[in-house]
Amino acid sequence: MNYTVFRVWGIPIRVHVSLLVFVPVLVWLIGSGEQLAAYEVVINATTPATVDAASLSDADRWLIGALAAVGLFASVTVHELGHAWVAMRYDIEVESITLWILGGLASLTEMPREWNREFWIAVAGPIASLLVGAACIGALVVVPESATVAVFAIGLLGVMNVSLVAFNMLPAFPMDGGRVLRAVLARNRSYVSATRTAARAGTLFAILFIFLGVVVTFSPILVLVALFIYVSATSESRAVVLGDLLSGLTVTDLLEPRGSVPVDATVETVFARLLAARRTDLPVVDENGAIVGAITATALRDVGPAEYETTTVGDVTTTDLPRIDAETSAFDALQTLQRSRSDVGFVVRDGEPVGLVSRADFAAALELRRDTTAF
């Protein structure tokens, strides 16, 4: 569940409920004495400031934890806005930016296949984080060391932003470094091949992170990051392959003669129609021949054999199907079915259903393309 908190350049900045749960935990992690002692060493070694965690009161510790936690996710927002700014320069729409337990996600309407565009969109986030980190470290030159809480919080944000850049630039697709890897690979090979290689690298890093998070040091967050990388890399690689296999096809190309069944026919007559058409779904038409829904093998499971003669097709017709324009690309249509969690959808032309398209139609097209295409 996401909540829109404000907008930047018209882009809704959303907070996922997982972040609301995680922030208090992050405040506690940062504000604990052991963590601040570790941060003290890093801040003193890498910034102009000199801090002493032992001199902090309990109230100071929790205040620093709260400021650093909020500041961290403000920094993540700036990081994602870096991606968004470059994407918009390439006329790519940014639907939203979502902050969640593992950081932030800028949702683009499309990911460009031109290697140079993906490269600059990917590195824009880390560059924004570097600028924030540099600004924080630079601020320590002018902030008086007597302002202990401010110095500690600003120093922490400087270190965190630089660390965020270092982590994000690991070639673990689909993190920023992984997208940079794909962009570089795509200069000299196909986009599909580059994606597959980058996805394999992401999978290897996911395994490494799980090992580190379980065996070396107990870190649930690192394990969650690993799972996110693995699932995202696998999903995006699959989507790219599907998109390539279905390229050039529209929904109209997938339409096949199905026949139809009248809305007042009995279920008993439907089985013969399904067998004759070798389908698991058929359009249902009214008395005027207009398509009003679909009858599916799944819906027929709910009808007992004793009710076949008394149950009409209209009683078990599915009417709330996704509507897909006939000129929609096959890949976008498949995405529509997946988002709606439906096995079948209406194909619409001029606002009126003209047929059905199902996952089986896509499977047949993919099998044919897979057998005739070499990557």
Side-chain angles (χ1 to χ4, degrees):
M1 184 179 296
N2 299 324
Y3 302 94
T4 300
V5 290
F6 58 93
R7 292 175 180 268
V8 177
W9 306 325
I11 303 169
I13 310 298
R14 296 170 178 165
V15 173
H16 189 267
V17 67
S18 63
L19 179 60
L20 301 178
V21 175
F22 179 61
V23 165
V25 176
L26 185 60
V27 171
W28 177 79
L29 288 173
I30 296 174
S32 66
E34 183 177 338
Q35 291 292 328
L36 284 183
Y39 291 134
E40 172 193 332
V41 175
V42 177
I43 292 172
N44 289 339
T46 60
T47 75
T50 301
V51 293
D52 180 12
S55 66
L56 298 171
S57 66
D58 288 342
D60 289 339
R61 295 178 192 280
W62 300 125
L63 180 57
I64 290 170
L67 291 173
V70 173
L72 174 60
F73 282 97
S75 300
V76 170
T77 303
V78 173
H79 178 104
E80 298 302 324
L81 285 171
H83 293 309
W85 184 77
V86 176
M88 290 189 297
R89 297 277 292 182
Y90 289 127
D91 295 323
I92 297 172
E93 183 183 350
V94 183
E95 295 179 334
S96 64
I97 290 175
T98 302
L99 305 179
W100 65 311
I101 187 172
L102 296 182
L105 291 171
S107 179
L108 310 183
T109 54
E110 61 176 317
M111 181 56 68
R113 292 198 169 201
E114 299 88 350
W115 76 267
N116 57 326
R117 293 190 173 196
E118 178 167 32
F119 176 87
W120 287 113
I121 291 173
V123 300
I127 290 173
S129 293
L130 274 180
L131 292 175
V132 173
C136 290
I137 293 172
L140 294 176
V141 176
V142 296
V143 176
E145 291 193 3
S146 57
T148 310
V149 171
V151 170
F152 224 124
I154 294 171
L156 262 175
L157 284 178
V159 170
M160 286 178 172
N161 274 278
V162 174
S163 301
L164 180 65
V165 172
F167 184 74
N168 263 282
M169 288 306 293
L170 291 174
F173 186 80
M175 289 167 51
D176 295 338
R179 294 196 179 278
V180 169
L181 173 63
R182 178 170 68 178
V184 172
L185 291 173
R187 294 184 64 182
N188 301 309
R189 61 173 75 177
S190 72
Y191 188 75
V192 174
S193 175
T195 300
R196 282 175 167 168
T197 301
R200 290 192 192 103
T203 300
L204 292 175
F205 270 97
I207 294 171
L208 174 62
F209 291 161
I210 289 176
F211 175 78
L212 294 175
V214 175
V215 178
V216 178
T217 177
F218 180 69
S219 175
I221 295 298
L222 194 56
V223 173
L224 284 175
V225 170
L227 293 175
F228 169 74
I229 290 173
Y230 178 81
V231 172
S232 299
T234 303
S235 299
E236 185 157 345
S237 179
R238 179 175 178 271
V240 168
V241 171
L242 287 176
D244 228 64
L245 288 171
L246 294 173
S247 63
L249 296 178
T250 66
V251 176
T252 300
D253 297 321
L254 303 182
L255 283 177
E256 294 182 358
R258 272 178 164 83
S260 60
V261 291
V263 70
D264 57 356
T266 63
V267 167
E268 187 176 27
T269 65
V270 172
F271 288 102
R273 298 283 186 90
L274 289 172
L275 287 172
R278 293 181 175 82
R279 306 289 313 183
T280 58
D281 54 80
L282 286 172
V284 177
V285 296
D286 61 18
E287 61 275 8
N288 297 317
I291 297 175
V292 295
I295 183 72
T296 65
T298 302
L300 294 178
R301 292 175 191 165
D302 298 329
V303 183
E307 302 171 313
Y308 285 176
E309 293 184 3
T310 58
T311 303
T312 67
V313 169
D315 295 330
V316 288
T317 293
T318 303
T319 58
D320 57 340
L321 300 175
R323 299 169 70 88
I324 304 168
D325 188 85
E327 299 308 314
T328 301
S329 72
F331 179 72
D332 287 343
L334 179 57
Q335 296 289 91
T336 298
L337 287 184
Q338 290 175 337
R339 284 194 299 268
S340 63
R341 299 182 181 180
S342 176
D343 291 329
V344 62
F346 287 125
V347 178
V348 179
R349 184 176 288 115
D350 297 327
E352 296 297 328
V354 294
L356 299 177
V357 65
S358 69
R359 290 177 187 260
D361 297 317
F362 290 101
L366 287 169
E367 183 177 2
L368 178 61
R369 279 291 182 90
R370 194 178 289 115
D371 291 341
T372 57
T373 303
F375 291 111

